[in-house]
Amino acid sequence: MPNNRIRSRHQPFEIAIMGTAPVCGILLIALGVRPQSVEVAMPGPMQTGWEWGLIVAGVAGLLGVLWPGRLSTGLGIELASVLVLGTITGMYAVALTVVTGAQGVAATSFVGAVAVGSGWRAAQITLDLRRLTRAEQAIPLAGLTSGGTAAAGGKT
């Protein structure tokens, strides 16, 4: 039987980003401010979606990391959140590039790194979910039917 290694869901950089994202989104909404690059490069509804995406991705990501139930459920929630986070940070990196050009290379690089890291983590989670599926299929369920009763004679 192959060794199934599931990557830890307690990764400090991911948790730091997931904890910071909703704070940023809430502050942007509460203070009624937006970065100039977002205002120039994104239409109004997309700006609102970007702010709410920060909140939802961060809260969902932390929920997935801290999920007390099935590992696969927590990983699925975490996967959805890193995909959303990667998308919205990618949008912001593009907006920064369009508006600031070469002057924004530092900010664009850091924001782009979050987007790339989110994609990387999504790939890791996808592999982990595949490993979990293979491990569950390898566990023999001899003697049980889908209803949980013994296959031989239906006795429980």
Side-chain angles (χ1 to χ4, degrees), residues 13 28 36-37 50 70 77 90 92 103-104 109 134 139-140 143-144 154:
F13 287 105
L28 289 169
Q36 182 182 5
S37 55
W50 176 72
R70 287 181 57 131
I77 294 168
Y92 186 41
Q103 290 179 332
S109 297
R134 274 188 259 136
I139 297 172
L144 294 180

Side-chain angles (χ1 to χ4, degrees), residues 38-90:
V38 170
E39 288 183 343
V40 171
M42 294 181 197
M46 190 176 284
Q47 294 174 22
T48 303
W50 176 72
E51 293 167 341
W52 282 100
L54 286 169
I55 297 168
V56 170
V59 170
L62 291 173
L63 178 66
V65 168
L66 300 172
W67 190 258
R70 287 181 57 131
L71 176 61
S72 59
T73 303
L75 286 171
I77 294 168
E78 186 181 353
L79 175 60
S81 71
V82 293
L83 289 173
V84 171
L85 184 67
T87 301
I88 60 176
T89 54

